[in-house]
Amino acid sequence: MSGIGPPGSPQAADALAGRIAADPGDLVARHNLANELRRLDRLPEALASIDAAWSGGLRTPETATLRGQILTDLGRFDEALEAYRDAIGLRPDYVAAHSALAQLLPQMGWAEQALDSFGPALARSPGTGVLWVAAMEAAKSHRAHEQLLAWADAAEQRFGSDTMVTTFAANALSALGRDDEAFTRLARALALEPDFAPAHATMAHLLIRLGEPAQAAAAAGEATRLAPDDQSGWALLGVALRLLEDEREHWLCDYERLVMPIDLALEPGLGAVLEKGHLARAQPAEQSLRGGTQTGGNLFESAEPMLLRLARQIADRVGETLARLPADPTHPFLARNTGGIDFAGAWSVRLAGAGFHIGHIHPAGWLSSALYVSLPESVRAGTGEGALTFGVPDAALGLDLPPRRLVQPREGQLVVFPSYFWHGTTPFESSSHRLTLAFDALPAQHRLDNAAVQR
């Protein structure tokens, strides 16, 4: 089963260490060793290796960025910030450093500065298309709608009509309340390039906002045809069908069957292990939580034995649960069920009092989750505070829909569900934290029969 345990190679790390022993001046080997050690979750050793490469004269943007990533993993955010700025100083259009900087600054409490590095870089390297894309992606994830629209318009002026750029512009226009303008621009772009799935998903979003659920269902359906594994189209299709009072909503979003609670035996001390990873001061700007923090990296690629044991327990129990589901080759979730999972990412969320998750989905997942590790008394009381809600879509759609299902958390309970299910949480009042672990998973590849959804 993939996705459990460090993905780095001890053999590769040993080989690189041997090269360095034979030639201490091999700075590239020191850089590569740092990368392997980071992947093995051996962070202090990784930092020592990358520091040796950097101080030895390997002053490349790649080395500076890797150094920043290791420092971020260690919670040394101020030093990481300087490392990313070193990378940008060496190569002003180096996308990885700009994107890392934009992710780090909000977690340091400086969200208003998150996009600042992109403007000067675009002015200096206006022909670098990937830099424009990274800037627009960062602006969208940070909900900087005016900036996103400005960059999208500037990109179209420089590079010409492009459906991806128009989709960014449509997202910004919609967020700014200019839905009719967004619709006109996006429809024109789709007429020229009708096979760009994200544009159809954005069109479905617009049509829901414009009060046209039948047309929205058609647009969402086209998005799912073009990109069946992208969860966005299915999520929007579910909303459109609900607005139409179409019974297919209940087939697609079977909350009673496909929201699956599982009781686990959690080891004492798990909460303390997770707490050690909560080093940030604020939530990531691109994530769904409000009033809390989220760990970085992938917890199930940690070297921490307790987390690896937990991952194996989860994989076994989830596999047993999936094996009991019915087969349905026409269903976007059930058709991909192989009876096992491969973890695609795992993280912890710590919500403070009044914290919550907005309604969201996980576009790149298949199965998503929430594992309740530690809960405040106000949540344990079962009054609805801090509950997990299903069926309440993104507030940006402009709807006021009640939950289709609500799960009151219990410590030790894992809840798994299709990644296209809209889910969020209700706020709670407490001086204590609500501590969870979550993961996304894909169908286990070694058992995948490549059955396609039949439409």
Side-chain angles (χ1 to χ4, degrees):
M1 174 168 43
S2 66
I4 297 179
S9 166
Q11 294 78 14
D14 290 344
L16 288 163
R19 282 177 53 183
I20 294 167
D23 180 6
D26 190 340
L27 301 182
V28 172
R30 291 186 183 277
H31 173 112
N32 292 338
L33 176 60
N35 190 51
E36 287 295 331
L37 291 170
R38 180 187 181 223
R39 296 173 70 216
L40 289 165
D41 200 29
R42 293 160 59 182
L43 296 177
E45 296 170 77
L47 181 61
S49 187
I50 202 67
D51 278 348
W54 181 255
S55 62
L58 191 63
R59 299 299 177 100
T60 69
E62 294 84 0
T63 298
T65 300
L66 177 57
R67 186 168 179 270
Q69 290 167 335
I70 295 168
L71 287 164
T72 298
D73 293 342
L74 288 166
R76 293 164 60 174
F77 296 141
D78 291 323
E79 294 169 83
L81 192 67
E82 292 309 311
Y84 294 138
R85 288 174 172 159
D86 285 339
I88 292 168
L90 289 164
R91 189 187 304 167
D93 64 352
Y94 191 56
V95 167
H98 287 286
S99 297
L101 195 59
Q103 290 177 347
L104 175 61
L105 283 165
Q107 297 181 75
M108 297 176 69
W110 299 335
E112 68 280 358
Q113 302 176 28
L115 305 178
D116 285 357
S117 71
F118 283 106
L122 290 169
R124 184 167 178 173
S125 305
T128 306
V130 291
L131 183 62
W132 285 94
V133 173
M136 289 185 287
E137 287 178 339
K140 180 184 176 186
S141 67
H142 287 65
R143 301 172 185 83
H145 309 303
E146 294 278 7
Q147 182 63 82
L148 173 58
L149 182 58
W151 279 337
D153 287 344
E156 285 200 336
Q157 290 173 11
R158 173 162 293 278
F159 298 105
S161 179
D162 182 278
T163 305
M164 178 181 64
V165 176
T166 303
T167 302
F168 277 123
N171 276 284
L173 287 165
S174 179
L176 294 168
R178 296 158 63 180
D179 293 303
D180 290 328
E181 186 179 348
F183 175 85
T184 299
R185 287 179 65 167
L186 193 58
R188 188 165 53 239
L190 277 169
L192 298 174
E193 188 180 351
D195 292 336
F196 188 59
H200 288 284
T202 299
M203 180 61 81
H205 175 105
L206 287 170
L207 289 164
I208 290 171
R209 284 179 55 88
L210 290 167
E212 299 289 348
Q215 295 180 49
E222 188 65 6
T224 67
R225 184 188 69 82
L226 293 167
D229 291 350
D230 186 330
Q231 306 295 289
S232 304
W234 298 111
L236 291 163
L237 180 59
V239 175
L241 293 174
R242 180 175 180 179
L243 295 174
L244 292 167
E245 299 183 353
D246 189 318
E247 285 300 312
R248 289 177 296 171
E249 181 218 347
H250 303 294
W251 166 83
L252 177 63
C253 302
D254 187 345
Y255 297 107
E256 292 307 311
R257 185 194 297 271
L258 297 180
V259 173
M260 298 167 278
I262 302 169
D263 289 327
L264 299 181
L266 301 186
E267 292 187 53
L270 176 60
V273 168
L274 296 179
E275 287 279 0
K276 288 190 298 185
H278 284 276
L279 304 172
R281 303 168 196 164
Q283 66 262 12
E286 70 276 10
Q287 300 299 335
S288 65
L289 66 152
R290 300 291 181 269
T293 59
Q294 180 170 311
T295 59
N298 184 342
L299 292 178
F300 291 161
E301 291 179 352
S302 164
E304 169 56 54
M306 187 181 295
L307 292 176
L308 302 185
R309 289 193 296 270
L310 175 63
R312 294 187 182 96
Q313 181 188 179
I314 288 172
D316 289 343
R317 295 298 308 281
V318 171
E320 294 168 1
T321 301
L322 293 174
R324 293 193 291 268
L325 291 175
D328 184 346
T330 68
H331 191 278
F333 179 78
L334 296 173
R336 297 175 66 192
N337 182 15
T338 65
I341 58 171
D342 287 336
F343 292 109
W347 59 95
S348 174
V349 171
R350 185 180 64 185
L351 290 177
F356 63 99
H357 285 272
I358 60 174
H360 66 289
I361 63 164
H362 296 229
W366 170 68
L367 182 81
S368 295
S369 64
L371 170 61
Y372 300 100
V373 177
S374 178
L375 299 172
E377 178 58 37
S378 60
V379 178
R380 293 199 302 269
T383 60
E385 289 192 17
L388 177 60
T389 62
F390 291 96
V392 179
D394 184 353
L397 289 170
L399 303 173
D400 184 18
L401 297 175
R404 285 299 203 196
R405 183 172 177 182
L406 185 147
V407 177
Q408 188 66 43
R410 290 187 290 102
E411 290 180 358
Q413 183 184 64
L414 170 68
V415 183
V416 295
F417 48 88
S419 296
Y420 62 80
F421 278 13
W422 293 101
H423 58 286
T425 66
T426 59
F428 66 95
E429 294 297 333
S430 176
S431 59
S432 301
H433 288 129
R434 177 185 185 274
L435 185 65
T436 60
L437 181 148
F439 62 85
D440 281 338
L442 297 173
Q445 287 298 306
H446 66 283
R447 298 179 62 183
L448 190 61
D449 60 5
N450 294 317
V453 174
Q454 299 174 9
R455 299 188 56 80

